Structures are given as structure tokens and as C-alpha cells.
Amino acid sequence: MEVPKDQISILLDNGLYNSAQMLGCFLVSSPAANSESSPHLKTESLVLLGDSFFSEREYRRAIHTYKQALQYYKMIPKQNMSSARSSLSSNRSSSPNSCNMSVINENEVKFKIASCHCFLNENKAALVEMEGIPSKARNLPMNLLLGKLYRISRHSRAAVAIYKECLRHCPYILEAITALSELGSTAKDIISLFPQTPNRSGRAPFDHTDSSRWLQRYVEAQCCISSNDYKGGLELFADLLQRFPNNIHLILEMAKVEAIIGKNEEAIMNFEKARSIDPYVVTYMDEYAMLLKLKSDYSKLNKLVHDLLNIDPARPEVFVALSVLWERKDEKRALSYAEQSIRIDERHIPGYIMKGNLLLTVKRAEAAVSAFRGAQELRPDIRSYQGLVHTYLALSKIKEALYASREAMKAMPQSAKALKLVGDVHASNSGGREKAKKFYESALRLEPGYLGAALALAELHVIEGRNGDAVSLLERYLKDWADDSLHVKLAQVFAATNMLSEALSHYQAALRLNPQNEAAKRGLERLEKQMKGVDPDAPEEDEDNDVEDADGDQDETELL
């Protein structure tokens, strides 16, 4: 043979993919490979060329080449295949003399084709390829990919079965543990899958002694998070972190949960700790970007986005971070970045959350509902419920908002944020304010430090003319909270009761804490008019529109 097959295998094994690709072109075009009597040689040559394309991320060329290989494979006489079946992937190197006896592993090639489709985000095509592999022929990587594809296509029962099979073979596949917890499996169910008897390789069974107890704790933590028991999950993660100090994965998992439940300062601290240990980490950095935006820390946000672009500009987290950065400058551009993150990974939840919030901002509420629903279908958390409720309220769909808020409360019975969400719906019309007050007070009993519920309750006091109650409530929180939104609310109450100097003091305090606070800027402008004797409520076109909207809201009262 003019081009020895083993030479391209050597190049591939040593990572010299470009050279392998060029040599592969010689291999598939050699007279020996194109002889009608040698379809096996043509098949193997095409698979090797496909491997070189795959390794260079030329996925379409790889798919085309692998499929050509499978066509030639069908032409090999059956007796040749049965006489010597050896996997090309497990033993690439073969001498020229033995190449006539070597046959490719058809299932491995189908797996490679499916992997290419996945990289191109063509999940339906990938699933078709994977389902063409008999279950008995699938190895661990094949099962993991199939489980992922079943989840994407919402075949949850099939995904559960596949992930369980993975854990029966190896209990340390953490992504399978997380997937099963999110698909509703209990910690007990997952732990029961871990091997209890020695396997064929003679390895010891999975034991339940201290050496493996950390894995059981990890399973319990993920199941807590998936069932919205965030407090329990955080406690278990913190326990694990004591045993594995500076564990990047655990720190990031904790930070993500803290970001979801509104423990913003703790989340920021953990994200920054993770970056100090590993400055090149990208995982969950879009969640960190959202927190920096909430804090109006644009210098840190700019640096974060700059760093992420230098690390890996193709990751979905980077596009969400870009979306966060551009939100206040160009909402249309920010929206396109959020959509790009979903195109890269259609299971990327922060992309949907960001998209929903942006659509709500630009008054495209119907589209926002779809985005928040997309996030909820992947993994319901308080943010997707909040997005849905506020979007339905913007659409004056009070019934739907109430249903979504009650759904949140049912899913998270110990969540003060879920209680506040039900209160928000009742507070949206005058007939439900008393109910809203009870929900806000319940939220504060459950979580006394929950500033969001305190601000909402203060707003209710103001609406109903109880300005003194609003001030005394907010001033209690001033002792423990240096928060700009708290100062803004106090300023608004003082301005409404004509205590202008107190209002001025709190607006200025808010702007010292956050110079970018738009509500404080607008309030200060309005206050300056009042202090000059100018009527800040002089009718304007925008305000006329507000009155019409308020009348529309009153019409929805009966729906509650």
C-alpha cells in the first residue's frame, strides 16, 4: 500500500490533526483504497480522515466523510466482517499486512456523527444517529450523550433510564447525578443506583463508608436545590466545602444558588473567590455579571466581560454577560446577545431569564412570557416565576399572574420571595390590598431581613395613606442595610408628606451609594421642582397615559 494506514493513526494520536488531514487525503485517494475489492480499506481510510476533520472542529466535513465511510462499510461482504471485527477507535495502529482483516466499529462512527451534530446544535439529527445504536452496544460516553439528547427533546422518562444506567456503571458521573435530581429523582433513588458488588474488572464495590460519604452528601445537595430547598442545599454544599477547601465547583454551585435566592452579597463574594482561585473560569460568570449590574458596579462588569471575551468568546455565558453590559446602552443589541446565548446552548437558563427581562423592558410582554416559560421548563426557580408574574401583570392578565404566583408558593413553601410574589398580584388592584399586606407580612415573618417585602409593604402603607407606618418600617431596616433602594423609598415617602429636607437627605444618600440609581435621579429632579415652588405634577402627555392604564387596572379587579 502506497500510504500506510498506521501513519495517519500516529499523527492523530499525537494531536497533529492538520498533518493527519492532509495525509488522509492521500490515503483515501490511493489506488489500493479505491480498488473495488477493498471496500474495507476505503471505509477505514474515510473514518481516519473524518477523525482528522472532527479534531479540527470541521464538523460538517466530518459528518460527510463518516457517512461515506458507512456507505462503503455496507459493501463489505458479511463473512469478512464476522471473521475479524476490531474497533478502529480502540486499536488504530495496524500494519499494512493486517489492514485487510480490520473492520471499523459502525456504532463508534454513528456516535461520532451524533457528536458532530451536537456541536452544530442539530440535536434531532444527533438523536436519530444515537437511537440507531443498539442499547447493548452503547458504552458510557454514548449513554451520557443519549441522556442529554433525550432531555433536550423532553423525553424525560427515557433520559432518567439512561442516566440511571450510567450511574450503575460509575457512581462518580456528577453530571448524571445533577440531571437525575433535576428530573425529579430523590437522593435515596440515586444513591441506590451506586454499584454494590464487584464489577467484571474486579474493582471494589462502591462503599458507604466515610471515603464515599461526600458523594452521598453531594447527591443530597443537588436534590435539595432541584426541589427548591435552597437553604438545605447551601448547608450541604458548605459542609462539603469544609472537607474540600477552595473547591471551585462547590464555590460556584453555592454562588449560583445564592444569586437565585437573592443573597447577592454572599453570591458576589463567592464568585469573586472562585475567580481569585481560577481567573479563567467561565461557568456561571453570567450570573455574576447580572449581580454586578444590579449593584451598578460597571467597572467590574466591564472588566469581567473583557476577561471572558479573552478566555472563550464562544461560550453562552459570555453572550449573556455581553447582554447585561449592553442593557443600559442599547436594549436591541443586548437582546440579540441574549438570543445568541440560547442559539449556542438551548438549555442555558440565564439566557432565557435575560431575554425575558429585556423583552419586558421593551414592552414585548407576550414574547417575554415565552422566554420565562422556556427557563421554567428547563428548571423552575424563583426568577422565572417572578418574570412570569410581572409579565402577566404588565399584560393585565391577573388570573394568570395569580396562578403563576401560587404555583411558585406551592413549589417553594418556605420561600419568602414566593409569598411576596402572591402579594404583588393582590397589590396590583385596590380590592386585593388587604390580602397583599398579609402576604408581605408573612414573607417578613419567614425572612425578617427580606428587604424586597419590606419595600413592597411600605409602598402599600403609602398608597393607603399610612405614611407614618411606612417610615417607621423602613427606618428599622436602615440600621442593618446600606441600600440605595431603601433610601429612595424613604425619600419618596418624605416627599409625599412634604418633609422635603428629609427627602433630599435620603435621595442624596441613595446617590452616594449608587450614583447610577435612576429612581433617585428622577426623584431628586422632582424634589428640586417642589423646593422651587414649581408643581411637579403638572399634566404631561405621559402622565395622561398613566391615568388610562390605571383605569384599565381597575377593570381587572373582579378577576381576583
Side-chain angles (χ1 to χ4, degrees), residues 260-313:
I260 288 170
I261 63 175
K263 290 192 167 186
N264 296 350
E265 293 303 321
E266 293 94 328
I268 288 171
M269 187 177 72
N270 273 323
F271 280 128
E272 288 176 352
K273 183 179 179 181
R275 273 173 58 83
S276 70
I277 298 168
D278 180 359
Y280 300 101
V281 69
V282 177
T283 307
Y284 302 150
M285 285 300 114
D286 44 359
E287 301 274 10
Y288 179 39
M290 290 179 188
L291 293 175
L292 292 175
K293 166 72 169 52
L294 276 176
K295 212 178 169 188
S296 299
D297 196 338
Y298 291 103
S299 61
K300 274 189 183 176
L301 179 58
N302 268 301
K303 185 181 186 311
L304 174 67
V305 173
H306 180 267
D307 291 346
L308 292 175
L309 285 166
N310 282 328
I311 297 164
D312 187 352

Side-chain angles (χ1 to χ4, degrees), residues 335-360:
L335 185 58
S336 72
Y337 282 133
E339 288 170 338
Q340 178 63 18
S341 75
I342 297 166
R343 279 195 293 273
I344 294 169
D345 179 4
E346 60 186 72
R347 293 189 56 80
H348 193 65
I349 293 169
Y352 289 96
I353 298 288
M354 193 67 203
K355 181 180 176 182
N357 287 330
L358 284 163
L359 288 166
L360 192 54

Side-chain angles (χ1 to χ4, degrees), residues 47-60:
V47 170
L48 287 166
L49 181 60
D51 288 350
S52 70
F53 290 139
F54 183 90
S55 301
E56 286 281 88
R57 300 184 181 183
E58 294 190 56
Y59 300 121
R60 295 222 181 274

Side-chain angles (χ1 to χ4, degrees), residues 3 20 75-76 167 188 208 218 230 239 263 271 303 321 377 416 453 481 500 532:
V3 184
M75 295 163 59
I76 301 173
L167 288 180
K188 188 178 177 182
H208 289 264
Y218 183 83
Y230 298 116
D239 187 42
K263 290 192 167 186
F271 280 128
K303 185 181 186 311
E377 284 171 13
W481 289 83
L500 305 188
K532 289 175 184 174

Side-chain angles (χ1 to χ4, degrees), residues 422-424 426-427 432-441 460:
V422 183
D424 289 343
H426 288 304
R433 285 175 192 158
E434 195 53 42
K435 282 185 180 178
K437 183 170 175 280
K438 288 176 183 174
F439 277 104
Y440 293 149
E441 287 170 346
L460 261 188

Side-chain angles (χ1 to χ4, degrees), residues 153-174:
S153 55
R154 295 180 172 83
H155 295 158
S156 298
R157 189 176 295 178
V160 167
I162 293 293
Y163 282 125
K164 283 183 175 180
E165 187 62 27
C166 291
L167 288 180
R168 286 190 189 102
H169 285 87
C170 175
Y172 293 95
I173 305 173
L174 301 190

